[in-house]
């Protein structure tokens, strides 16, 4: 879809679209649903057919009873027919109710599966693609589009209403078809005139209803553009819905008494004149839509009875047929009106899911290599960066520039530098979360882009700054798997410095992290979480171990202790340590100094500390002075 179209759809769901686009959107979203459960709409259609048939059976039974009374039929005969019909209706209603309840369970399953689609997509996508501005914009649109109304559930309700309306129209035509013959036989043109007037009234009511409904949708679904930032209504919505406020930042709110500031960007937004105008438009739209529907329904019901009354006065139909035809005409006109309204709503619901469909259609950009990675028992792997440069998507500034380096087997390398100097970028490129814009990275002399991604990633154990712990058992967090080696898990936790805490927990390594899945779960501190992440890296037993400032929440002594112990655990493996505390990296054989995206120094601690003109000397002395003052 064209970029302009995407932007328009992302900011204003009420803008006009060609009918062809609406139909395409509806077909796409229905295909996704039917792919997840091919029988859902088939069985719900059976329910709708029953729900349409039953009222018409009741209508025809009423007509039969009235005609039988007029004709003086025997009570026994009328009672027998009525009892048989009512028994059949009972069976049909029971069947429809049973099937519908089963379909509701299946609908919940489809809803859950649909909610997982985007998560599965994100797991399968290149990390660089997820981190792109386009993907982030789509994720934001998806959140907004799916948090109005009932999300994808609205699709089920509206499409079921459309199915019911279609079957209701068919039923009305089939059961009420004789009305045309009666009108033609009567030779009266007044009923036909009333019919034309009802059609005109229905069309006018539909147009008015759609107009007012669009005004209501404009209030609900239009988000402020770049020129309306002062409105900040989407921010206030996020705040009100919990995205802007969390119990973790509640401490700052209370300590700094930021109530007025937050109130300015939440409550006050809903009191300003611009929002009140939007609210008034929304209220007028909702009221106008409801009023149009009520007026049309009332007029259609009265007009239907008026038509049949005209035919009845002409003496061409019986009393029972008067009731039957009146009901059919009323149902016919009402069903057509409701069908168009529901179709318009369904088109909007489908349009709200286009952001999800666009996200699912995002294609990966990184080349998927095919070469297997040689499995070496001696871990003889060597990495070389050769004139590598890289910029993050959407950025003009290089995060890493003309970078070259060899990682020797078993080497312990420390990477230091100020924030934004390119340290973490180097790790991401090494793990192939991104590909270089220029240059190449080689594994044993082969460009890493040629290797299979899944096999290449097994070479690395990484603890990032923003590592994630899952709300599962501690052992499953360490093993990153449902099955795990219990003794190895405990050993890795002890090596990472969590032995004492592990012994305190009643369930040991089977303790859940937080209470999302288990009320007895524990909330670990930042330092404990970092130790768990380090234990995870050790458990993987990969030939390359990378620590990207994972101990930032620890004090310098605790950090030095963990790094020293970790150095013993690593043994002969190749290890890279990133830390802003230079004292923690003295045990490393080599130290690489990054500054403004470039490698500016490389050597041992003594060599770099002796270079009084170098960046390392500046950083080392600044930190040494700080510790001396302390």
């Amino acid at each position: 879809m064209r970029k302009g179209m995407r932007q328009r759809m992302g900011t204003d769901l009420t803008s006009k679209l060609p009918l062809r686009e609406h139909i395409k959107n509806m077909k796409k979203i229905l295909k996704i649903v039917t792919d997840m459960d091919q029988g859902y709409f088939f069985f719900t259609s059976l329910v709708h057919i029953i729900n349409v048939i039953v009222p018409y059976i009741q209508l025809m039974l009423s007509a039969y009873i009235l005609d039988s009374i007029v004709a003086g039929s025997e009570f026994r005969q009328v009672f027998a027919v009525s009892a048989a019909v009512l028994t059949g209706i009972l069976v049909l209603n029971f069947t429809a109710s049973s099937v519908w309840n089963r379909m509701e369970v299946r609908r919940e399953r489809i809803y859950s599966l649909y909610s997982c689609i985007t998560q599965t997509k994100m797991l399968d996508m290149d990390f660089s693609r997820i981190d792109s501005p386009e993907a982030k914009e789509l994720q934001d649109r998806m959140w907004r589009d799916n948090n109005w109304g009932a999300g994808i559930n609205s699709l089920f309700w509206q499409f079921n209403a459309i199915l019911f309306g279609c079957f209701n129209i068919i039923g009305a035509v089939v059961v009420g078809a004789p009305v045309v013959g009666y009108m033609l036989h009567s030779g009266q043109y007044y009923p036909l005139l009333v019919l034309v007037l009802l059609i005109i009234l229905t069309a006018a009511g539909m147009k008015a209803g759609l107009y007012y409904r669009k005004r209501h949708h404009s209030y609900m679904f239009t988000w402020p553009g770049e020129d309306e930032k002062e409105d900040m209504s989407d921010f206030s919505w996020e705040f009100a819905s919990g995205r802007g406020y969390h119990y973790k930042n509640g401490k700052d709110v209370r300590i700094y008494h930021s109530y007025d500031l937050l109130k300015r960007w939440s409550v006050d937004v809903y009191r300003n004149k611009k929002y009140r105008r939007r609210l008034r438009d929304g209220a007028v739209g909702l009221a106008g839509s409801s009023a149009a529907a009520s007026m049309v329904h009332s007029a259609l019901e009265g007009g239907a009875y008026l038509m049949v009354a005209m035919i009845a006065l002409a003496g061409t139909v019986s009393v029972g047929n008067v009731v039957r035809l009146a009901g059919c005409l009323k149902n016919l006109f009402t069903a057509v009106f409701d069908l168009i309204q529901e179709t318009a709503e369904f088109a909007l619901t489908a349009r709200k899911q286009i952001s999800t469909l666009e996200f699912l259609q995002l294609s990966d950009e990184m080349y998927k290599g095919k070469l297997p990675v040689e499995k070496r028992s001696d871990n003889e792997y060597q990495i070389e960066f050769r004139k590598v440069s890289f910029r993050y998507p959407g950025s003009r500034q290089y995060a890493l520039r003309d970078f070259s380096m060899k990682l020797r087997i078993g080497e312990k390398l420390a990477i230091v530098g100020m924030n934004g100097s390119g340290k973490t970028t180097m790790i991401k490129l090494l793990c192939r979360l991104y590909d270089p814009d220029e240059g190449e990275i080689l594994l044993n002399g082969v460009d890493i882009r040629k290797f299979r991604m899944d096999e290449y990633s097994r070479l690395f154990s990484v603890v990032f700054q923003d590592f994630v712990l899952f709300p599962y058992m501690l052992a499953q967090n360490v093993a990153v798997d449902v099955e795990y080696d219990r003794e190895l898990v405990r050993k890795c936790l002890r090596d990472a410095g969590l032995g004492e805490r592990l012994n305190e927990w009643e369930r040991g390594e089977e303790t859940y992290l937080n209470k999302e899945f288990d009320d007895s779960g524990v909330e670990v501190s930042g330092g404990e979480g970092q130790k768990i992440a380090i234990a995870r890296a050790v458990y993987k037993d990969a030939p390359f171990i990378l620590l990207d400032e994972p101990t930032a929440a620890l004090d310098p002594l605790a950090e030095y202790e963990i790094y020293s112990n970790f150095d013993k655990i690593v043994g002969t493996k190749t290890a890279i340590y990133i830390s802003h505390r230079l004292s923690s990296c003295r045990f490393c054989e080599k130290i690489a100094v990054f500054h403004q995206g470039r490698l500016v120094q490389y050597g041992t601690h003594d060599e770099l500390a002796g270079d009084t003109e170098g960046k390392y000397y500046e950083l080392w002395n600044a930190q040494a002075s700080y510790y001396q003052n302390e």
Side-chain angles (χ1 to χ4, degrees):
M1 188 175 293
R2 297 186 306 274
K3 182 178 178 182
M5 180 70 74
R6 280 202 306 268
Q7 291 176 342
R8 188 167 67 251
M9 291 173 64
T11 56
D12 183 7
L13 288 170
T14 64
S15 59
K16 289 185 177 181
L17 272 186
L19 179 61
R20 182 181 300 175
E21 288 290 337
H22 280 303
I23 295 174
K24 185 186 298 183
N25 294 342
M26 290 187 282
K27 288 174 65 177
K28 285 180 180 178
I29 196 67
L30 283 174
K31 185 179 185 304
I32 290 181
V33 173
T34 52
D35 285 345
M36 290 186 287
D37 190 331
Q38 295 181 356
Y40 176 81
F41 284 121
F42 172 77
F43 286 105
T44 55
S45 295
L46 294 180
V47 174
H48 296 318
I49 291 173
I50 294 174
N51 289 336
V52 166
I53 289 175
V54 167
Y56 286 110
I57 292 176
Q58 293 171 330
L59 186 64
M60 295 183 71
L61 177 61
S62 299
Y64 167 77
I65 293 173
L66 287 173
D67 286 341
S68 297
I69 293 174
V70 172
S73 301
E74 291 185 7
F75 173 76
R76 181 182 300 177
Q77 179 184 352
V78 175
F79 177 80
V81 173
S82 299
V85 172
L86 292 175
T87 301
I89 289 174
L90 179 63
V91 172
L92 288 174
N93 283 335
F94 176 78
T95 302
S97 177
S98 299
V99 175
W100 183 258
N101 289 335
R102 288 178 179 271
M103 291 305 102
E104 281 294 281
V105 174
R106 288 169 68 165
R107 178 184 60 78
E108 286 296 323
R109 174 178 171 274
I110 298 171
Y111 175 80
S112 299
L113 289 174
Y114 185 82
S115 301
C116 293
I117 287 178
T118 54
Q119 302 303 318
T120 303
K121 174 69 175 179
M122 292 180 71
L123 289 174
D124 294 336
M125 285 174 63
D126 294 336
F127 180 81
S128 59
R129 198 73 168 107
I130 297 173
D131 200 38
S132 66
E134 181 184 8
K136 290 180 178 179
E137 188 268 340
L138 279 174
Q139 290 177 62
D140 184 59
R141 278 176 49 198
M142 285 161 52
W143 181 88
R144 296 189 308 192
D145 291 347
N146 284 287
N147 277 275
W148 279 111
I152 192 65
N153 275 324
S154 297
L155 179 143
F156 293 98
W157 299 330
Q158 291 158 2
F159 192 67
N160 277 314
I162 291 172
L163 289 175
F164 177 80
C166 291
F167 292 130
N168 201 9
I169 291 172
I170 294 173
V173 171
V174 171
V175 177
V179 72
V180 178
Y182 291 145
M183 284 192 296
L184 296 175
H185 181 73
S186 68
Q188 293 189 9
Y189 297 100
Y190 294 109
L192 292 175
L193 179 59
V194 174
L195 177 61
V196 172
L197 291 175
L198 288 179
I199 294 173
I200 296 173
L201 175 64
T202 302
M206 290 175 184
K207 186 173 182 179
L210 291 174
Y211 167 77
Y212 283 110
R213 187 159 298 201
K214 184 173 181 179
R215 288 187 64 176
H216 178 59
H217 289 165
S218 179
Y219 157 70
M220 291 187 65
F221 302 118
T222 302
W223 296 83
E226 292 298 323
D227 57 338
E228 296 179 313
K229 286 299 181 184
E230 72 279 4
D231 188 313
M232 293 297 287
S233 56
D234 58 343
F235 173 84
S236 57
W237 165 251
E238 292 186 12
F239 181 90
S241 63
R243 292 186 82 195
Y245 179 82
H246 193 270
Y247 76 92
K248 290 183 179 179
N249 60 35
K251 301 185 291 295
D252 297 279
V253 171
R254 286 157 179 78
I255 293 298
Y256 292 100
H257 298 279
S258 56
Y259 310 107
D260 290 339
L261 174 64
L262 296 177
K263 179 173 169 287
R264 163 67 182 86
W265 296 111
S266 57
V267 178
D268 289 351
V269 168
Y270 295 105
R271 292 176 176 170
N272 65 34
K273 292 182 179 179
K274 181 182 292 185
Y275 182 78
R276 286 202 300 269
R277 286 196 301 269
R278 290 184 59 212
L279 184 63
R280 183 174 63 251
D281 286 343
V284 170
L286 184 61
S289 177
S290 300
S294 298
M295 291 177 63
V296 171
H297 284 168
S298 299
L300 291 176
E301 186 171 358
Y305 280 104
L306 177 60
M307 285 180 61
V308 177
M310 290 179 177
I311 299 171
L313 290 175
T316 57
V317 296
S318 64
V319 176
N321 280 334
V322 169
V323 175
R324 188 180 76 174
L325 297 176
C328 288
L329 286 173
K330 170 183 170 292
N331 288 348
L332 177 63
F333 288 120
T334 302
V336 170
F337 181 83
D338 290 344
L339 180 62
I340 293 179
Q341 295 280 63
E342 290 295 341
T343 302
E345 287 290 327
F346 181 71
L348 177 62
T349 298
R351 190 172 177 181
K352 286 161 60 182
Q353 298 304 316
I354 293 304
S355 54
T356 300
L357 298 181
E358 288 182 11
F359 183 81
L360 295 176
Q361 292 168 3
L362 287 178
S363 59
D364 288 336
E365 297 177 339
M366 296 177 68
Y367 174 72
K368 299 297 186 294
K370 298 180 180 180
L371 288 180
V373 175
E374 182 184 5
K375 297 176 176 61
R376 303 182 61 99
S377 58
D378 56 4
N379 284 339
E380 289 289 324
Y381 297 105
Q382 183 170 350
I383 292 286
E384 179 183 359
F385 286 81
R386 186 178 293 173
K387 295 185 178 298
V388 169
S389 297
F390 174 76
R391 289 181 295 191
Y392 284 100
S395 174
R396 297 183 178 180
Q397 184 176 356
Y398 279 95
L400 205 61
R401 184 69 170 169
D402 197 26
F403 172 63
S404 296
M405 176 188 288
K406 286 185 178 181
L407 300 177
R408 297 176 179 84
I409 307 305
E411 184 178 37
K412 308 300 185 297
L413 173 68
I415 298 179
V416 300
M418 300 175 65
N419 291 337
S421 60
K423 306 186 300 295
T424 298
T425 301
M426 177 261 193
I427 297 296
K428 290 179 179 178
L429 291 171
L430 174 61
C431 296
R432 215 189 161 206
L433 296 176
Y434 296 92
D435 278 338
D437 294 324
E438 302 169 19
E440 57 184 353
I441 304 172
L442 307 175
L443 172 65
N444 290 349
V446 180
D447 193 321
I448 64 173
R449 285 174 285 204
K450 296 182 179 180
F451 293 112
R452 290 179 51 180
M453 187 79 77
D454 57 336
E455 291 193 10
Y456 180 77
S457 64
R458 292 194 182 101
L459 299 177
F460 302 94
S461 287
V462 188
V463 183
F464 290 106
Q465 300 176 45
D466 53 351
F467 63 87
V468 175
L469 297 180
F470 307 105
Y472 312 137
M473 285 193 296
L474 173 61
Q476 292 174 340
N477 271 273
V478 174
V480 198
D481 199 349
V482 177
E483 304 295 332
Y484 53 87
D485 184 329
R486 180 176 180 180
E487 291 304 318
L488 181 57
V489 166
R490 296 182 68 87
K491 180 181 184 303
C492 292
L493 288 169
R494 287 194 297 268
D495 290 342
L498 206 66
E500 287 187 24
R501 193 76 169 107
L502 181 64
N503 294 331
E504 293 176 2
W505 290 328
E506 183 178 348
R507 297 176 61 180
E509 70 279 355
E510 293 184 352
T511 301
Y512 276 81
L513 302 185
N514 78 41
K515 303 181 185 300
E516 185 172 339
F517 293 112
D518 192 313
D519 291 338
S520 64
V522 298
E523 295 284 349
V524 297
S525 66
E528 290 169 344
Q530 288 168 329
K531 292 176 181 179
I532 294 171
I534 291 174
R536 175 192 294 168
V538 176
Y539 185 95
K540 186 178 180 182
D541 194 28
F544 291 90
I545 307 290
L546 315 174
L547 272 69
D548 184 11
E549 297 193 270
T551 54
L554 303 179
D555 59 76
L557 292 178
E559 180 185 54
Y560 182 78
E561 180 182 356
I562 286 179
Y563 271 31
S564 298
N565 291 336
F566 197 78
D567 183 55
K568 297 175 184 177
I569 298 169
V570 170
T572 60
K573 296 179 181 179
T574 304
I576 300 177
Y577 305 87
I578 296 178
S579 177
H580 64 280
R581 294 183 181 132
L582 276 61
S583 59
S584 300
C585 303
R586 293 188 61 181
F587 65 86
C588 292
E589 301 162 10
K590 294 291 184 178
I591 298 174
V593 184
F594 282 67
H595 184 60
Q596 295 181 349
R598 295 180 180 272
L599 176 64
V600 295
Q601 285 183 287
Y602 183 80
T604 66
H605 166 74
D606 292 335
E607 291 172 349
L608 298 178
D611 182 1
T612 58
E613 301 296 324
K615 189 68 178 179
Y616 186 84
Y617 178 86
E618 175 189 336
L619 295 173
W620 174 261
N621 281 278
Q623 293 189 13
S625 172
Y626 171 76
Y627 292 128
Q628 289 170 4
N629 292 337
E630 286 294 312

